[in-house]
Each structure stands twice: as structure tokens, then as C-alpha cells.
Amino acid sequence: MNALSSYAPMWPEIVLALGAMTILMLGVFRHQATPGADYVSGWLSVIVLVFAGVLVAQGSGTREVMFEGAFISDAFGRFSKLLVLGGAALVLVMSFDTLARAKLLTAEICVLMLLAVAGMLLMVSAGDLIALFLGLELQSLALYVIAAIDRGQVRSSEAGLKYFVLGSLSSGMLLYGASLIYGFTGSIDLSVIASVAQGQPAAQNIGLIVGLVFLLVGLAFKIGAVPFHMWTPDVYEGAPTPVTAFFAAAPKLAAMALLVRTLLYGFPGIAPQWQQIVVFLSIASMLLGAFAAIGQRNIKRLMAYSSIGHIGYALIGLAANSEAGTQSVLVYLAIYLAMTVGTFACILSMRTKDGPVEDIDSLSGLASTNLSMAFVLAMLLFSMAGIPPLAGFFAKLYVFGAAVKGGLYTLAVIGVLSSVVGAYYYLRVVKIMFFDEAKTAYLPVERGAGFVMTLSAAFVLLFVLIPAPLVDAALTAARALHVATAASAAP
């Protein structure tokens, strides 16, 4: 019993692994012709995700370290894990019917999603370079397969292959960077690296700086930051829409949390060096996300460039390198998650009797044929554009405020200007829905997608009234990380 309780901080990851194995065995022995059998694996996966979320929420409020620093359980990790688990569960709930129609709602995809989420939780808690790599690869290997899960579609196979090739390249760079860091610090433990990488000698250590650059290349690929964003539009467009929604929700959040912990906890002594790289990634992502999305006609590609831009905004908070900056990143990620899953619930509902459609022009006149869906999608797009008093406005306000407090005035101004440019393509979609002539009426919204749409719309509308729970939880998480950072950086 004592042995079991000593692994309590890892129970969410263990539950996900056991749940994946159970569903795999059920999938092997289950009779496929049983009515409703497709939904059993899906609902079991949701139950496992919710149970893991309850375990995370009930975790100890103190910071716990396991396996000689390789696994860290703290408030920052718990906040990030709840976002990942919530995003994955919502995506599954809204995708059941779409996956079932495409004959993709199988035990295999549920197992792969659970294993990918287990990898994400390990990433969030990674306290050394090996744990970081193991979590990242457990997630990535599952995602490579999920992207190509629709074997009957060439573009799905192409998306999976492209993601695999580019992902392998980024993993190689990350490993090379990790090996350089180990070579120049003598440790893989982030707390030990932090104590070694202190002061002027560390700032002049070219090997350590080069290693950090390669490590950042690998992590920048996982969050889809420019110039390592090449996979994002093609994978978003080629993968089945439920898979794209999963890509947009959970993995990017986990990778962003991993990036924040790695830089703040592992390299506080050379912050000026990595801040320059993060500022560059942020500016490049915001500008490309704003301008490249303007010409898109496919709504999934539009969302891909939108996600690149949003990662740029989130990186502003990281560049500030402060407690307020980390808090702003977490608030931004939580609001981005709500907006993204809601928007993809609307995209899943874009279907006619001839099948799903992805062309933005097919939304023409949606307000006259399905006003509720048009209203929800418009609210979510307004929120993404940062229009007050919706939640997206406060997300940007927090990161811009952190940048100003940190003296990054230029970065904040570029963020505001790119938000203005980005608002154009969001408002264009709203204009098409409300002012263009109706072309084709969509089929009624399904229950799962409708539930997520309602939940997301309520969140972006009501956040202005009750922001305290999310903001306070993000502050607690950020404070826990910075207290640990101060301790690790102490000589």
C-alpha cells in the first residue's frame, strides 16, 4: 500500500496507460458487428480522461519530485495537465459521430489518443532531459499514426508522412541539443543544469548556448512556431477534422507548458540569451499567422495559420520572463483552448447531405439557415480577434501587460498591430455568414458538437464576469514554478 501511495503523483499517467491497454484488449476481443460497439471505446476513453483529470485535481498541493528529479508534480504541472485532459475529452465528445460516419471510431484511435495524452502529461512534468524526450516521443509517435489514420484518403496519409519526416528531423535536433547541454554541464537534471548555467561564464559558454538553440528548435517545432511551422497547415488540412481538432487543442498546450518549464526552470542563468530567441519566434509567428491567413479559402488551413499566430502571442508572456508573464501564458492557453475546441465543433458541423465541407465560402448566409451556429462561430471568431469584452481580449491583454511590465514595448506594439491585421480574416468569415446570400443549408448540429459549442460560447461570453477562478489558478501555478526556479538557480 505504501509503495502504491508513493507513486500517487503519477497516478494520472498510470491510469491513462492502463485505460489504453484495457481498451486495446476490448477492441481485440469485441464483436465488431455489435450495435453501438463503435461508441463503447470512445466513451471509455472519455471516462479514463475524466478520471485522470479528477486524480490531477485531487493531487497534493505541495511540490513532489520523483525518480531523482525526472518527474515533477507541482501546481504548474497540475494546471497544464487539466487543460490537456479537458481539451482531449472535449474533442472526443464532439467527434464521436463524425468519426463513426467515417468508420474511424475504433479502439485503435482511442488507444493512440490516450497514449498521446499520457506522453503530454509526462512532458508537462519532465524534470530532466531524458524524461522530456521520452514524453515528447510517446506523444509524437501516437500523433504520427493518428494523422494518417484515414488510410482511404491520400491527403491523410500525406499529412501523416509529412508530420513524421519533419517531426523526426526536429527530434534529432532536440537530441543533439540535449547531448551538447549534457556535455557542457555534466548533467541531464534541469535543476543541476540551472545551477551550472549561472553568471558570466555560462553566458560565454558557446557550447551550452548552441545546445540550447538546438533544444529550442525541437520544441519550437512541436508548438508550431515560425520558422518551424511548415507542417502545421498541411497536417491540419490533410488529417481528418476530429484529429485536426485534437492537434489544435492538446499537443500544443503540452508542448508550450514543456517549453515554459524547460526555459524558466532549467536555464534561468542565461535568460537574456534565450529571451532573444523567444522574442524572434514570437514576432515571426504573429506576423506570419496574421498575413498568411488572409488568402486562405479552406477553414482548416485558416485555423492552422490562426494557431501559429496565437502561439506567437503566448510566447510574449514567456519572453517577459516573470511571474506575471508565466501567469499570462497559462491564462492565454486556457482561453485559447476554449476558443479552439468551440471553433472546431462548428467546423465539424459544416456538413451537407453530400458530406463534410471545408470551404469558407460554404458558410455563405449561414445566419439565415442556422442562426445559433452562426452566432456561436461569430462569438468565437470575435474572441480570437481579441474584441472586447470577450475572453480572447483579456488573453491578449494579459500577455501584452506582462510584456510592458518586462520592458518589451516593441514586442507589445508588434503584437497589437498583428492583432489588428489578424482581425481582418476573422471578420471576413463573420461577414460571409451574416451578409452574403445563403447557398446551401447545413444538416442539423449533432449533440456532441452542440454541447461543446454551447460550452465554449458560454465561456468566452461570461469570462468577463467571473475571471477570478482561472486567473487565480494561473497565478498559483506560475508562482509555484518561479519559486522552484529560484531554488534551482541558487548557488
Side-chain angles (χ1 to χ4, degrees):
M1 191 63 189
N2 288 333
L4 279 177
S5 61
S6 65
Y7 289 101
M10 282 198 74
W11 279 356
E13 287 83 355
I14 293 171
V15 163
L16 288 171
L18 291 176
M21 285 188 276
T22 304
I23 293 171
L24 179 63
M25 296 308 294
L26 286 174
V28 170
F29 294 108
R30 187 184 61 203
H31 192 271
Q32 295 294 330
T34 305
D38 291 342
Y39 288 84
V40 173
S41 301
W43 280 114
L44 277 176
S45 303
V46 173
I47 292 170
V48 170
L49 289 167
V50 171
F51 185 48
V54 171
L55 290 175
V56 171
Q58 290 184 338
S60 166
T62 58
R63 184 173 188 270
E64 298 179 74
V65 178
M66 298 175 65
F67 307 117
E68 299 182 353
F71 184 91
I72 300 171
S73 174
D74 57 6
F76 176 81
R78 284 190 289 278
F79 185 95
S80 305
K81 287 178 182 180
L82 286 175
L83 291 185
V84 169
L85 291 165
L90 288 174
V91 168
L92 266 174
V93 167
M94 72 186 192
S95 302
F96 284 157
D97 295 319
T98 305
L99 289 171
R101 269 195 305 278
K103 301 189 186 307
L104 296 175
L105 185 57
T106 58
E108 290 84 350
I109 193 170
C110 295
V111 169
L112 289 167
M113 282 187 171
L114 289 181
L115 291 176
V117 173
M120 293 172 209
L121 300 198
L122 287 174
M123 287 163 57
V124 169
S125 286
D128 70 26
L129 297 176
I130 289 181
L132 179 156
F133 182 72
L134 288 177
L136 205 58
E137 287 306 294
L138 177 57
Q139 173 212 249
S140 298
L141 291 172
L143 294 182
Y144 297 148
V145 182
I146 294 174
I149 197 76
D150 193 358
R151 288 172 292 181
Q153 296 290 328
V154 174
R155 65 177 191 167
S156 177
S157 302
E158 185 184 352
L161 185 61
K162 190 172 291 184
Y163 189 46
F164 171 69
V165 172
L166 294 175
S168 301
L169 181 64
S170 76
S171 295
M173 290 186 177
L174 186 143
L175 269 183
Y176 183 59
S179 64
L180 281 175
I181 292 168
Y182 172 70
F184 284 93
T185 62
S187 177
I188 57 169
D189 190 319
L190 290 180
S191 62
V192 177
I193 293 171
S195 62
V196 173
Q198 286 288 330
Q200 190 67 16
Q204 294 174 348
N205 188 332
I206 300 300
L208 178 62
I209 302 297
V210 172
L212 178 59
V213 169
F214 275 99
L215 190 74
L216 279 174
V217 168
L219 296 178
F221 175 89
K222 300 302 178 186
I223 61 174
V226 176
F228 309 104
H229 65 286
M230 299 78 73
W231 61 275
T232 311
D234 294 335
V235 172
Y236 268 49
E237 184 182 14
T241 304
V243 173
T244 307
F246 184 69
F247 269 74
K252 285 204 172 190
L253 266 60
M256 194 67 199
L258 171 64
L259 178 63
V260 171
R261 186 192 290 279
T262 302
L263 289 180
L264 293 179
Y265 182 60
F267 301 91
I270 51 175
Q273 283 71 32
W274 60 253
Q275 275 180 296
Q276 296 176 40
I277 301 171
V278 173
V279 167
F280 168 75
L281 294 175
S282 174
I283 292 175
S285 300
M286 287 188 294
L287 293 179
L288 186 129
F291 286 100
I294 291 175
Q296 301 303 319
R297 294 292 177 268
N298 181 294
I299 195 158
K300 287 165 69 177
R301 288 188 76 85
L302 178 81
M303 289 301 296
Y305 285 106
S306 169
S307 76
I308 293 169
H310 283 291
I311 284 297
Y313 296 121
L315 286 172
I316 292 178
L318 176 58
N321 186 28
S322 63
E323 188 176 291
T326 307
Q327 179 196 17
S328 70
V329 174
L330 295 175
V331 170
Y332 199 97
L333 291 178
I335 294 175
Y336 170 72
L337 172 67
M339 296 186 299
T340 300
V341 293
T343 305
F344 270 98
C346 295
I347 295 173
L348 283 171
S349 302
M350 290 172 58
R351 58 190 186 89
T352 65
K353 60 183 179 182
D354 297 323
V357 289
E358 300 172 1
D359 191 354
I360 293 173
D361 289 335
S362 72
L363 288 164
S364 180
L366 180 65
S368 61
T369 57
N370 191 334
L371 181 60
S372 57
M373 178 178 164
F375 175 77
V376 170
L377 184 53
M379 285 302 101
L380 294 168
L381 294 176
F382 279 138
S383 182
M384 284 193 177
I387 294 175
L390 302 172
F393 167 75
F394 293 98
K396 291 183 178 176
L397 187 65
Y398 274 101
V399 293
F400 294 156
V404 171
K405 285 180 185 174
L408 302 172
Y409 302 109
T410 306
L411 186 58
V413 170
I414 293 174
V416 172
L417 293 177
S418 63
S419 290
V420 174
V421 176
Y424 168 78
Y425 58 82
Y426 293 123
L427 297 179
R428 175 176 164 268
V429 178
V430 176
K431 175 256 178 189
I432 289 173
M433 289 191 297
F434 282 86
F435 297 104
D436 286 5
E437 188 178 346
K439 289 181 179 176
T440 307
Y442 292 143
L443 295 174
V445 175
E446 288 164 327
R447 280 182 298 179
F451 169 73
V452 176
M453 286 163 59
T454 306
L455 206 61
S456 302
F459 178 85
V460 300
L461 281 170
L462 301 178
F463 179 80
V464 63
L465 299 177
I466 40 176
L470 175 61
V471 174
D472 292 346
L475 178 60
T476 304
R479 189 163 291 161
L481 182 60
H482 281 267
V483 169
T485 298
S488 70

